[in-house]
């Protein structure tokens, strides 16, 4: 993980500019208290993992971060940032790699109050912290890398590839959150199950919340334990960090967040939440076009 002791010092010793040197960048010109959280539980920290290689979107991703590709007049990453901002998060932690520092430059530009050009989203008033994950060791590893920069309480993980149009997905989840881990869920066809983390369900559903007994990351065809798949929105109890420390590498030789969620199921409740919006997988060409 790329948060060294020195970088922590940078954080406490003032704001870093928009230079290209990897490190921490603070953007906090607008007081956070002006934004009222729209959810019941206040999710203070949102992690946006964006260090992935983007191999499903070659050739553009040879030189461009997939999160910076356009969806008509907006950039993929804007959807994630706006969802986190509208949720009322105080801190956004963006996980990138040194090959993707253009993301840092893009967000610094969006945070610049003077910008008023076509396509610009709202100015970001939130504090943004960059964490560097230079080895593709998996989503669980990316989340674990953020351990030392979390604000107290449950936090969210938002995968920017998954654009959810309609109601703010994380806010909808937060309004139903009652502790433990909650993961956004949608039904998929049997032949699609091998592309997702699939829930092992049990118990009685209540208010769009389905009790979860475990998850299987990308099951082989014909072995999926249900038709409900995880979408890239998670509200997690901070206990997940301790679990991630002892989660063995799983599917694809990576540390899987789904495995850590399964392991923590003995200690905290886990629910899958059926959200109301429409999800597009912008990590591939068809999904990007559909969005
Ligand atoms: C990740 C998760 C998977 C989830 C999916 C949703 O997979 O590991 O459980 O279903 O996001 O988009 P990825 O698509 O990053 O391989």
């Amino acid at each position: 993980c790329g948060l060294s002791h020195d970088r922590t010092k940078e954080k406490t010793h003032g704001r870093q500019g928009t230079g290209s040197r990897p490190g921490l960048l603070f953007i906090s010109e607008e007081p956070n208290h002006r934004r009222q959280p729209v959810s019941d539980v206040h999710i203070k920290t949102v992690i946006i993992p964006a260090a992935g290689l983007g191999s499903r979107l070659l050739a553009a991703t040879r030189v461009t971060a997939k999160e910076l590709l356009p969806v008509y007049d907006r950039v993929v990453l804007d959807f994630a940032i706006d969802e986190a901002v509208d949720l009322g998060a105080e801190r956004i932690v963006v996980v990138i790699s040194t090959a993707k520092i253009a993301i840092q430059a893009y967000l610094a530009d969006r945070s610049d109050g003077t910008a008023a050009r076509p396509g610009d989203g709202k100015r970001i008033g939130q504090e943004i912290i960059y964490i560097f994950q230079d080895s593709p060791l998996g989503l669980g590893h990316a989340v674990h890398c953020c351990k030392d920069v979390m604000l107290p309480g449950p936090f969210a993980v938002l995968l920017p590839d998954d654009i959810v149009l309609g109601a703010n997905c994380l806010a909808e989840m937060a309004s139903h959150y009652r502790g433990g881990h909650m993961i956004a869920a949608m039904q998929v066809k049997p032949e699609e199950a091998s592309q997702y983390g699939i829930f092992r369900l049990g118990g009685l559903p209540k208010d769009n919340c389905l009790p979860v007994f475990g998850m299987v990351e990308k099951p082989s065809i014909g072995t999926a334990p249900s038709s409900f798949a995880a979408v890239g929105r998670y509200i997690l109890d901070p206990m997940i960090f301790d679990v991630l420390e002892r989660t063995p590498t799983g599917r694809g030789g990576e540390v899987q967040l789904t495995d850590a969620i399964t392991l923590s199921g003995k200690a905290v409740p886990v629910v899958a939440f059926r959200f109301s919006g429409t999800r597009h997988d912008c990590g591939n060409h068809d999904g990007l076009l559909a969005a």
Side-chain angles (χ1 to χ4, degrees):
C1 303
L3 184 70
S4 68
H5 182 66
D6 285 352
R7 286 185 187 137
T8 308
K9 268 204 225 152
E10 262 174 40
K11 173 188 155 192
T12 48
H13 289 175
R15 191 176 292 174
Q16 188 187 324
T18 57
S20 59
R21 191 163 63 93
L24 294 172
L25 174 66
F26 270 39
I27 302 163
S28 50
E29 289 99 4
E30 187 177 62
N32 288 318
H33 59 75
R34 280 202 206 142
R35 264 180 203 283
Q36 291 304 313
V38 293
S39 54
D40 285 2
V41 62
H42 186 187
I43 305 294
K44 296 192 176 99
T45 317
V46 176
I47 298 175
I48 302 182
L53 301 172
S55 40
R56 289 185 296 155
L57 282 168
L58 285 168
T61 48
R62 239 179 246 147
V63 291
T64 307
K66 62 179 170 173
E67 294 79 8
L68 298 182
L69 294 176
V71 175
Y72 192 58
D73 61 348
R74 291 169 79 189
V75 157
V76 168
L77 186 60
D78 286 338
F79 291 84
I81 295 289
D82 291 350
E83 189 172 329
V85 168
D86 291 340
L87 176 73
E90 292 170 22
R91 177 176 289 179
I92 299 174
V93 181
V94 186
V95 184
I96 58 174
S97 67
T98 43
K100 294 176 83 175
I101 50 173
I103 287 179
Q104 203 170 356
Y106 177 76
L107 289 179
D109 191 56
R110 250 202 74 175
S111 306
D112 175 359
T114 60
R117 291 153 299 192
D120 279 345
K122 282 176 276 185
R123 196 167 73 84
I124 309 166
Q126 266 69 8
E127 174 187 61
I128 301 188
I129 292 181
Y130 296 94
I131 293 290
F132 284 77
Q133 184 199 25
D134 277 317
S135 315
L137 298 176
L139 179 58
H141 177 257
V143 170
H144 188 252
C145 285
C146 304
K147 184 178 178 187
D148 295 335
V149 296
M150 304 303 290
L151 294 172
F155 66 95
V157 177
L158 192 168
L159 306 191
D161 278 5
D162 281 346
I163 290 183
V164 179
L165 300 179
N168 181 316
C169 188
L170 279 178
E172 211 180 356
M173 290 168 71
S175 69
H176 288 78
Y177 179 77
R178 300 287 178 269
H181 303 326
M182 173 183 270
I183 307 103
M186 67 174 188
Q187 272 194 294
V188 296
K189 297 182 188 133
E191 65 271 23
E192 294 168 349
S194 58
Q195 300 165 28
Y196 298 94
I198 302 291
F199 297 103
R200 192 183 301 283
L201 299 169
L204 290 177
K206 193 181 166 209
D207 289 342
N208 289 327
C209 295
L210 317 173
V212 170
F213 285 140
M215 294 180 76
V216 182
E217 182 67 13
K218 305 197 174 79
S220 341
I221 293 181
T223 66
S226 77
S227 60
F228 283 92
V231 168
R233 301 290 184 280
Y234 306 77
I235 296 180
L236 301 171
D237 184 295
M239 63 81 78
I240 196 87
F241 289 114
D242 290 337
V243 179
L244 280 166
E245 239 146 68
R246 55 184 166 83
T247 302
T249 47
R251 188 97 190 159
E254 298 181 344
V255 179
Q256 298 293 348
L257 186 58
T258 49
D259 293 342
I261 290 171
T262 299
L263 284 173
S264 40
K266 290 189 189 104
V268 293
V270 181
V271 295
F273 177 75
R274 297 187 73 171
F275 59 98
S276 67
T278 307
R279 175 258 190 185
H280 295 285
D281 179 1
C282 292
N284 70 62
H285 296 109
D286 290 344
L288 205 53
L289 191 62

